[in-house]
Structures are given as C-alpha cells and as structure tokens.
Amino acid sequence: MATHVMSESIYNLIPREEVKPPKEQRYQSKFRSTVKEEKQTNKSPNKTMGPAKVDLNAPKDYLSKRSKEPVLPEKTSFKYPDEDKRKPMVPKKEDRPLMGLKSNKNFITTNAVENIMSVPKKPAANFVDTAKGSTHPLEPSGLVPKYLNKKGYGDVPDYLRKRNGEVKRAQEEYDEYIKEHYRRGAMKHLTEGERQAVLNGLKKNWEEIHHQYQGLSVVTDTAPKKARKERMEAEMKQLERDIELLEKHKIIYIANN
Amino acid sequence: MTTNDDDYKMLELLSTTGFNGKVFAGFKVHPDKEHIIYPLGNTVIIEHIAKNTQSFLQGHTDNVSCVAVSKNGKFIASGQETYMGFKANIIIWDFQEKEQYCKLELHKVKVQSLAFSPSSKYLVSLGGKDDGSVVVWDVAKKESVCGAPAAVQSAGMTSCIAYCNNDEDKFVTGGERTIRVWTLDIANRKIRPVDCNMGQLKRYVKCIEVAPDDDYFYCGTTSGDILKIYMANNLLSKFGPEKDKYSQGVTSLALLWTGEILVGAGDGTVAVIKGDQFKKTKSHKIPGSGAITSLVLRGKGHQFLVGTEKSQIHRFNLAEFTREQLRDCHFGSVSDIAFPHGCSDLYATCSQSDIRVWNAKTSRDVLSITVPNMTCNAIELMRDGSGIVSAWDDNKIRVFYPQSGKLKYQINDAHNKKVTAITTTSDCRFIISGGGEGQVRVWKIKDQQRGDLERTMKEHKGEVTCIVVRKNDRECISASFDGSCIIWDLSRGTRHLVIFANTLFKCVSYSLDESQVLTSGTDRKIGYWETYSTTQIRETEGASTGAVNGMMVSPDGDNFVTGGDDKLIKFWDYGDAQVTHVGIGHSGAINRLSICPNQMYIVSVSQDGAIMRWKYPK
C-alpha cells in the first residue's frame, strides 16, 4: 500500500515526449562487394530459361547401389606406342641364318655407291615470313599463282550458261505467248485491197438497184408499187451511207464480234 | 444590465471528444478511407483518421438520428429528431466544402434512416414512428420526387432502409414484421412496394445489407438471426443460424468481399459467418461495449471499424480478428470536469458510472475508471496528485489511485441523499463534501487510507451543488438549491456569512483576490458579492434562455466563463461584466466548464456526452 502512495500521482500521467534513441547504422557485411561480384560472374546460365527439362529415368532404371561412383577404365597392359612400327631386332652374332642362306653382298660399299650415284633431293619450296626465319610450305600458302593457270579460268561456267539460256528461252516463249494472246484478242485490220473490194462490191450493188429504180413506172398508183419504190430508195440510201463510210476512212478495223 | 449582443467574437473550438453511439449505423467511413464521420448531439463530425483533424457540420436543431454517405463520397446526409408536432430536417452536406448543400424538410418528428442511390442521384429517407413514410429526394434538384407510407397498417414501425448497389431504381425497407422491396418509377413519380412474404416467420428487422451484385439482401433481426432474401422474386431464401442465435439481436451487418458476413450483435459480439447455414467462423465479444450499432469496412474490409452503443470505437483486423480500441467516449451526460493543479495537459471528467482522465492535446483517454450501476456527480483531483476524489449517488465518496485506477479508499454513507459536491483543501488533508440533503461535511484523510468525519455543517435545506475553498483553507463557500450560498469557517465548523437569492444556485466562484464571489443559478443572473459582508455589488443577465450551470473565474482574475442550458459558452470581462466571446458548438446543455490552469484553453462538458476544448482568447 505504502509503495502505491509514493509512486502513484496524476502528474505521472502527463504525456511525455518520447525520446527515440538514434538508430544504429545498418549492418553491412565487408564481403558484400566480393559476394556481389562472384554472383555476377558465376551467374548460372540456366537462370532465365530455368533448369533444362530432362526426361525422368524409366522406373526400371532405378538408382542402384554404387551407380554414382565413377566407372574406372579396364586395366590394360602397358605398350609402347611405336611397338607395331618398330623393325625387328638386328640378329645377334650367334644367331644362325634362316635355312643356312648367306649373301655375299657388301652392304657397306653398295650403300656408299648408291648414295654417291643418287640425284640430290630438291629443297622443299618454303617461304620464310619472320626475321627469325620460321618457314612454311609455299604451295598451300596462296603466294604461288595456282588457280590462274587452271584450264578454263575466267570462263563463264557451264551451269550458268545453261541456266541463262533457259531463262532467255522461257522469256521468249512467254513474250510469244503474250503476243499471240493479244493478237487473238485484237480487232481485224482491213487491208487496202479488201477495202477496195468491199467498196467496189457496194458500188456495183448500188448501180444495180439504181438501174432498177430508173426503170420503175412513172406513176406509182398501187400500194405494191409504192412499197417497192420505197424499199429501193431505202436500200440505195443504206448503200450510199456504207460507201461514204468506207471512202471516208482509210484504215478500218473490224471488231471480233 | 444588458449586454450588447452584437459586440462579441467567437471562441475557437480546438477539439471535440464524443460520439453518439446510440445512432444505428451512425458511424461511417468516407469512401476515401481517410475520414470517419460520426454524429455527436446535433453535429456531424468529419475526422481525419491519421491527422485527427475535425470538421463540424452544424445545422441541425436537435440530436442527429441517422447519417448516410454517398457512394462517390461527395455528399453526406444526416437526419435529426425533434419535438412532437414539428418537422425534422434532413441536411445534405457537401463533403469537400464541409458546408450545407441543402435542407430537406418533410418528415415529422424523426428521420429514421437515410440511403443514397448508387450514383448519388437520389436520396431516400425513412420517417420515424410518428411519420412512417418513405420519401425519395432528387439530390441535384434539391426537392422531393415522391413519397409513400412505409408499411401497411397492420405492420409495425419501419426501422431501416437500404439502397441497391447497382440498380438506381430499387431499395429495401425493413422493420417490425415488414420487409419491402420498392421500385422507383421516376417517369410517373411513383414508388411501388412489393412485400416479402415471410410465411409464419415474424421478425423485427434492425439492419439491412444488400449484396454487391444485388442478388440477395440480408436482414439482421432482433430475434438474433439473419434473413437472406432473394431480390428478384422477394422470397425468403434462407434464415439462420437455427441454434445459438445472437444474444440481444443482430444490430448491424456488413458484407465482405469473400462472401462472408460480418455480424454485430446487441451483446457486443462481432462475428464472421459464412455459408447457407450461417456458420460462425470467427467471433469476438467486446466486453462492456453495449450493442454494436455500426459496422463499417474501411476499403475492402481487411480492416473494419465498429461503433458501439457505449460510444466506443474499435478497429478490427479481419485476418487475425484482433481488436484495437480507438476511442472511448462518454456515452451519457458528463457531469463534472477537473484539472490537476497547475497542469494543463490532463483533465478528468465524470459521466454516469465512468471517470476518465484525458490527455488534453490528443483528446485520448489515459485512464478509465468504472463503477457499475452508480452515478458519479462530482470529481476533484488532490492537489498533490495522489488521488481522484469522486462523489457518488450511492452516498459514498470514492478515492482512486490516479495511475492504476484502483480504489484507494472509500467513505461509506458520507451523506444521506447522494453526494453531490466535492472538493479538497490545498494541503490535501481534508475532503469537503456536500450532499443531497443539504449538509456540508469535512473529512480528514488519515494515512492516505481512510477518511474520518471531522465536521458536519448543517445549514442548507436543499441539495449542495458546488463547494469552493479559499486559498488559505480557512473558509469555503457552498452553493445550494435552497437559494443560499454559505461561507463557512472551516476551523470552527460554523457559518460565517450567507447569501440569499430567489434562485437555485448552481455554481459559485471566488475572484482572484477572494474579496468577491460570483454566483449563478437557474434565474440566469450572475451576482457579484462582497465576501466579508455579503452585500451584492452587481447583478447581470448571464443568459437569456437557460440556467447557468457552470462558471469559473480565470486564473489571472480578468475574465470568467459561464455555460448553461442555452448551450453557449460565454467569455466575460470580469470588470465590465460584458460578454467578449461566445462559443457555439454544444448540442446539449452545458453541465460544467473549466479554464485550464495555464489559461490556454477552456474545456466544457455537456449533457450529450461531448467534451469540447476551446482556445482561451488572448
């Protein structure tokens, strides 16, 4: 009770400004930069696409014991690499020749004579490119003109010639076809001779009708007479118009239909 | 003496503490998620949640009875109640401007409930018991469109209204044995109701919530269950829970985005229920909160706020279902206020069964003491800060520890008829109390553990309302309803002088040099009296309409403040007896007021439960 009396006071309820302790600086690892760098360089290649999609093993290929251990190659006996190419050993002094055969050939002199008589080997065609004198074979280097001397150098190759010919022929065929097509669709041109013939024919027809017309009776008193006269007049008029048309135009086209 | 009414300035209101939790669905969250809106007396308060800044919408003539916020957040509507035979206003407020947009007057006596249409084009209002009509208002034209009786004659009172979330032409009303779906026919200016057939079920609907897609609506009932009604054919779809119904009824509902329903019950239970069986998934009971009157989601509903009948505001986190108390206001008339000596940062108030200590700057309570079923009439703080002395209507004087709020000691049967006034001497050795029977008693504090009766001074014939001690602790003055103020000699325990007037004295205050004393009471007169001879020096009109309930002379002695039934705070010049400043804001009668010791602000408490802090004019 007594502690209450001492401690409790209304003035303790007065709101006090809370003093916040200043915040400690945020911890930052000193390895931060290295970690960052490593992460950058060792960035997993499958990052963007996700891990590779691989089929699962079949159930029968279950994981068996020791299957993850590395499989060692089988043991092999040691062999020199040139063992097969090596010549057989020189026979020993005490070896007996095969089937007792013996040659009188003086190998030393024959070898010496052969060498003396042989034509010296031609030096290899090399070129030297550095001051220290490193040599390279000349022939494949491209320094010697090789393809220039080839037969048929600079000619148009056969396949091109063949192809160009084909193209040209195809174009000509096509042009022909087009021309033919147009020609078929175009109007017929009446030649000068034809025109003259048509004109003469028309004139002759007109002469005939005119002759008949002149021979008609003077009095047209019946209906058939009148009709006949009118018909003849109409025919002549038509013929006159046609003649005039043909005479007027020198060039005449006739439509296909 | 007359005061020149035109020649005063307004007191600046710094903050208000209070919330009328009894208004159903009165507590709202604005759609911007940053402001809360709640009624307090006849004002509607808009408060920024984070910044704690308040705006006051004042215009109602009586207590606000309902609040609605439009979906776009542009408008706030509030309805009021008024006296029998008068018309009750609906006021639509512009949220941005914090101004009155229009005043709509049609309902009689009380506006029960309000709802905005989804596009805020229409406002639909429901009248109270004496009105019983539904009215549709055009918000843009500021006029009524049409109205109709809310329910059939055989049904009871309609208590709530809810608008569809998408359909502009449909709303629902619910009440005692009535649930109606209304269709608005704007071309013919008609509303057509369709009654929901409930069969044998008889329910009293307290709250309605419409599903976001308008398929169903849910009604909370006083029987403690929830009705789920299909909107298309107005048929009852489901109701429940069948067992374990919510005690004291379902008072508020809210729908979550998950399809679950938040339920607030009359016994303070907040629960989340789900499914057709209305199965309870989460539940929490707020102790001592009264009914959950408002349940509002903040944003989508991850966080929701709860307003209770006992004027508490709680914030819930939905996921963890944890609760945090945001506000704990007085829910009844606040009867007294006291400042610690020489300290302006705290003040203590008492209201009904509660004593609270408040942080003056933030207006948040620091300490809350409750003695159930008793009423505290007066409060005083020991000058050394060691205790809160309170006067109770069960004839006891209780002294509490000021930090833990535990009872330090109590004086049983201090008076025969309630303890009505209390004060302490400045040396903290004596408590002086006044009772309803008219006695003034002096109690000696022994070892901080008990109070022994030192003296009984029997002169008053009526209730003692106020006791003030002189600075030298030799004398004190007590005001009483019997029309007398007596100056007592404390050393001898006898009457020294007496002031008579034809009034019920309510307050008394010494001037700075204690040569004069100011009194006031129900005759609305402020009297200046000489203390050594009790001759009246001056009398002035303290208020034109109501009794003066509280008065205090400022620490520098140049001014004094009064407050009373006229709901105004008046700031007077002591020498001229002229009102220089007036504070308008209270919606109930002012019970007491106090100037803080550092003369920074004035705190007034009123009958509607509000505590208002005013800036002290320079």
Side-chain angles (χ1 to χ4, degrees):
Chain A
M1 213 56 163
T3 53
H4 265 301
V5 176
M6 291 313 289
S7 61
E8 288 217 6
S9 166
I10 190 130
Y11 300 107
N12 293 343
L13 289 176
I14 297 169
R16 288 187 186 84
E17 286 274 323
E18 266 185 52
V19 184
K20 276 187 186 168
K23 249 187 176 176
E24 267 184 37
Q25 213 160 23
R26 202 168 72 169
Y27 170 77
Q28 212 166 45
S29 165
K30 59 180 176 182
F31 302 111
R32 192 183 155 90
S33 59
T34 23
V35 169
K36 226 172 165 180
E37 223 166 72
E38 273 173 16
K39 173 132 191 186
Q40 199 71 266
T41 49
N42 302 343
K43 200 174 175 185
S44 48
N46 61 5
K47 195 116 196 197
T48 51
M49 307 292 282
K53 288 185 177 57
V54 184
D55 288 338
L56 289 174
N57 284 351
K60 63 178 184 200
D61 304 332
Y62 55 85
L63 194 67
S64 54
K65 193 178 179 184
R66 292 177 181 277
S67 64
K68 281 196 173 174
E69 286 175 6
V71 183
L72 297 175
E74 283 206 15
K75 267 186 188 169
T76 48
S77 53
F78 179 74
K79 240 178 148 181
Y80 283 106
D82 58 346
E83 215 154 15
D84 304 331
K85 288 183 261 176
R86 254 192 289 178
K87 285 178 179 163
M89 296 274 281
V90 176
K92 289 199 172 123
K93 199 164 83 184
E94 53 266 20
D95 282 354
R96 297 191 68 81
L98 195 68
M99 297 169 74
L101 289 174
K102 219 173 168 181
S103 166
N104 291 328
K105 191 174 179 182
N106 189 348
F107 282 96
I108 296 167
T109 29
T110 25
N111 277 353
V113 168
E114 254 175 33
N115 274 325
I116 292 159
M117 300 299 285
S118 67
V119 184
K121 215 166 116 189
K122 266 192 181 173
N126 282 346
F127 75 95
V128 182
D129 60 351
T130 59
K132 293 245 173 183
S134 81
T135 56
H136 305 279
L138 183 66
E139 209 262 311
S141 70
L143 292 170
V144 197
K146 181 179 171 189
Y147 296 103
L148 207 66
N149 301 329
K150 221 177 156 188
K151 196 180 87 187
Y153 171 81
D155 292 351
V156 178
D158 275 347
Y159 81 95
L160 262 185
R161 211 178 297 138
K162 218 156 92 190
R163 190 189 288 172
N164 285 348
E166 268 168 22
V167 168
K168 207 172 165 188
R169 211 173 322 117
Q171 186 63 43
E172 273 169 11
E173 259 174 35
Y174 178 72
D175 288 350
E176 199 68 28
Y177 166 76
I178 293 293
K179 214 183 268 174
E180 176 65 31
H181 184 76
Y182 272 110
R183 198 162 49 77
R184 233 182 288 147
M187 285 180 291
K188 194 185 167 193
H189 178 223
L190 212 60
T191 56
E192 188 53 38
E194 282 170 336
R195 178 173 158 265
Q196 211 58 52
V198 172
L199 207 54
N200 290 345
L202 285 174
K203 278 181 181 168
K204 195 176 156 225
N205 283 356
W206 186 84
E207 285 293 345
E208 274 173 18
I209 295 168
H210 191 253
H211 183 75
Q212 284 175 19
Y213 187 74
Q214 291 300 327
L216 284 177
S217 62
V218 178
V219 185
T220 54
D221 46 354
T222 60
K225 272 185 189 169
K226 192 186 173 197
R228 187 157 181 244
K229 188 186 172 206
E230 276 177 356
R231 183 176 52 83
M232 289 170 99
E233 276 172 355
E235 276 178 2
M236 265 167 25
K237 197 138 217 175
Q238 180 60 42
L239 284 167
E240 272 163 27
R241 248 183 280 144
D242 290 349
I243 290 160
E244 197 186 0
L245 184 76
L246 280 175
E247 280 183 335
K248 207 159 146 196
H249 303 287
K250 281 269 163 353
I251 300 159
I252 290 166
Y253 288 98
I254 298 164
N256 273 347
N257 36 39
Chain B
M1 288 292 290
T2 53
T3 55
N4 187 359
D5 285 342
D6 300 320
D7 196 25
Y8 56 74
K9 298 187 189 89
M10 301 309 271
L11 281 177
E12 190 188 332
L13 182 57
L14 292 175
S15 72
T16 303
T17 311
F19 158 53
N20 188 358
K22 292 186 186 75
V23 176
F24 275 94
F27 179 70
K28 302 275 182 196
V29 173
H30 191 262
D32 70 3
K33 300 181 204 168
E34 281 176 346
H35 292 88
I36 51 174
I37 297 153
Y38 54 89
L40 170 63
N42 61 13
T43 46
V44 176
I45 299 178
I46 302 171
E47 188 174 321
H48 195 283
I49 292 177
K51 291 182 199 155
N52 282 330
T53 50
Q54 293 175 323
S55 314
F56 304 93
L57 307 179
Q58 292 176 327
H60 286 294
T61 52
D62 207 323
N63 282 352
V64 173
S65 57
C66 50
V67 179
V69 184
S70 71
K71 249 188 174 177
N72 56 14
K74 220 175 142 193
F75 297 111
I76 297 168
S78 57
Q80 69 168 103
E81 55 190 39
T82 182
Y83 300 102
M84 215 32 140
F86 291 89
K87 294 222 161 150
N89 293 330
I90 299 166
I91 299 182
I92 302 181
W93 312 87
D94 191 316
F95 177 76
Q96 282 307 324
E97 307 294 323
K98 313 268 192 296
E99 273 175 1
Q100 184 173 319
Y101 173 73
C102 65
K103 193 183 256 185
L104 311 169
E105 197 180 78
L106 209 63
H107 289 293
K108 284 176 208 151
V109 187
K110 188 182 179 185
V111 183
Q112 182 73 26
S113 186
L114 290 166
F116 275 102
S117 74
S119 67
S120 316
K121 206 174 160 194
Y122 305 112
L123 173 73
V124 57
S125 63
L126 178 67
K129 198 182 256 174
D130 306 292
D131 183 69
S133 63
V134 176
V135 178
V136 180
W137 307 85
D138 193 313
V139 175
K141 290 181 189 160
K142 306 178 183 180
E143 60 181 26
S144 62
V145 177
C146 52
V152 290
Q153 286 286 316
S154 59
M157 181 197 161
T158 309
S159 59
C160 52
I161 197 159
Y163 224 107
C164 279
N165 287 314
N166 308 309
D167 195 341
E168 194 76 1
D169 301 330
K170 251 185 177 179
F171 57 91
V172 186
T173 60
E176 202 175 350
R177 300 191 309 282
T178 170
I179 298 172
R180 290 181 137 189
V181 178
W182 299 76
T183 314
L184 173 62
D185 183 358
I186 201 76
N188 298 323
R189 292 173 79 105
K190 275 260 157 52
I191 39 174
R192 297 192 175 87
V194 180
D195 278 292
C196 293
N197 189 4
M198 305 285 292
Q200 292 291 324
L201 217 58
K202 286 193 170 59
R203 289 289 184 270
Y204 188 172
V205 174
K206 266 294 188 194
C207 50
I208 302 176
E209 211 39 56
V210 184
D213 51 3
D214 291 348
D215 276 354
Y216 293 94
F217 61 93
Y218 298 86
C219 306
T221 68
T222 51
S223 312
D225 54 8
I226 296 154
L227 315 175
K228 182 182 182 182
I229 295 166
Y230 193 45
M231 184 80 91
N233 54 11
N234 309 317
L235 287 180
L236 180 67
S237 166
K238 295 268 170 5
F239 73 98
E242 294 223 332
K243 287 176 185 172
D244 298 329
K245 291 194 196 309
Y246 292 94
S247 175
Q248 296 176 46
V250 174
T251 48
S252 51
L253 286 174
L255 301 180
L256 291 170
W257 81 102
T258 52
E260 293 168 314
I261 311 168
L262 267 176
V263 177
D267 63 344
T269 304
V270 179
V272 179
I273 58 170
K274 147 171 127 172
D276 289 339
Q277 303 299 317
F278 300 99
K279 203 180 157 205
K280 207 186 283 183
T281 54
K282 285 169 190 166
S283 178
H284 181 90
K285 189 171 173 180
I286 308 170
S289 69
I292 307 289
T293 50
S294 307
L295 202 62
V296 279
L297 309 179
R298 189 176 172 195
K300 252 182 146 187
H302 299 288
Q303 202 180 60
F304 62 92
L305 299 166
V306 162
T308 76
E309 197 185 356
K310 292 276 173 75
S311 299
Q312 296 173 355
I313 298 172
H314 299 270
R315 178 162 63 199
F316 274 78
N317 194 323
L318 183 70
E320 290 101 51
F321 224 63
T322 49
R323 173 172 63 92
E324 184 193 348
Q325 185 165 9
L326 289 187
R327 206 67 56 78
D328 188 6
C329 310
H330 284 303
F331 51 90
S333 170
V334 187
S335 46
D336 202 1
I337 169 161
F339 273 98
H341 183 255
C343 169
S344 302
D345 296 331
L346 298 168
Y347 55 88
T349 58
C350 66
S351 160
Q352 295 183 352
S353 57
D354 290 338
I355 296 173
R356 300 231 165 103
V357 181
W358 303 84
N359 180 344
K361 291 231 171 59
T362 57
S363 303
R364 294 288 160 88
D365 59 334
V366 214
L367 177 71
S368 177
I369 303 164
T370 306
V371 180
N373 302 328
M374 302 304 162
T375 302
C376 183
N377 291 323
I379 189 171
E380 179 66 320
L381 301 170
M382 287 283 190
R383 187 169 275 211
D384 59 3
S386 63
I388 301 169
V389 187
S390 53
W392 296 81
D393 70 342
D394 60 344
N395 305 339
K396 287 178 183 170
I397 295 170
R398 291 186 170 89
V399 182
F400 297 97
Y401 284 111
Q403 276 179 279
S404 59
K406 285 177 187 158
L407 186 68
K408 195 172 179 183
Y409 56 90
Q410 62 182 20
I411 303 169
N412 294 322
D413 300 314
H415 287 274
N416 290 340
K417 264 170 90 182
K418 298 193 263 184
V419 187
T420 52
I422 201 144
T423 190
T424 59
T425 56
S426 59
D427 56 6
C428 300
R429 285 172 60 220
F430 297 100
I431 296 171
I432 304 165
S433 67
E437 81 284 11
Q439 293 185 358
V440 176
R441 288 178 170 180
V442 182
W443 308 86
K444 189 169 190 179
I445 303 165
K446 278 263 176 80
D447 309 331
Q448 300 279 355
Q449 279 175 26
R450 64 171 206 271
D452 290 348
L453 184 63
E454 180 86 4
R455 275 190 189 95
T456 307
M457 300 183 280
K458 304 180 197 173
E459 290 277 345
H460 284 301
K461 297 285 176 287
E463 183 184 319
V464 179
T465 51
C466 186
I467 305 172
V468 185
V469 188
R470 270 185 99 114
K471 279 172 196 154
N472 60 9
D473 293 340
R474 296 256 184 81
E475 278 182 2
C476 80
I477 183 163
S478 64
S480 169
F481 275 176
D482 64 356
S484 66
C485 286
I486 297 176
I487 301 175
W488 304 93
D489 187 336
L490 283 177
S491 53
R492 288 185 292 151
T494 53
R495 187 181 85 185
H496 187 59
L497 287 163
V498 67
I499 298 167
F500 288 112
N502 189 16
T503 175
L504 309 180
F505 280 117
K506 286 216 160 169
C507 45
V508 62
S509 186
Y510 274 112
S511 68
L512 179 68
D513 57 359
E514 297 179 333
S515 63
Q516 291 174 4
V517 71
L518 293 184
T519 61
S520 192
T522 51
D523 65 346
R524 316 191 297 272
K525 300 267 197 302
I526 296 168
Y528 286 60
W529 310 83
E530 202 79 57
T531 41
Y532 69 91
S533 64
T534 67
T535 49
Q536 189 166 30
I537 307 162
R538 175 190 265 171
E539 193 176 53
T540 180
E541 187 84 16
S544 53
T545 51
V548 177
N549 295 335
M551 177 163 61
M552 186 165 177
V553 178
S554 69
D556 64 5
D558 292 341
N559 304 90
F560 66 96
V561 284
T562 61
D565 289 353
D566 57 355
K567 302 165 188 176
L568 300 175
I569 310 269
K570 286 183 181 157
F571 186 80
W572 302 74
D573 189 280
Y574 189 91
D576 302 346
Q578 293 283 332
V579 179
T580 57
H581 293 75
V582 169
I584 304 170
H586 276 290
S587 46
I590 296 162
N591 283 336
R592 278 296 150 91
L593 41 74
S594 187
I595 302 169
C596 84
N598 299 346
Q599 259 182 225
M600 280 145 66
Y601 40 79
I602 305 159
V603 178
S604 56
V605 296
S606 65
Q607 236 156 34
D608 57 3
I611 302 168
M612 291 195 175
R613 196 157 62 93
W614 311 82
K615 195 169 180 204
Y616 191 89
K618 292 277 175 276

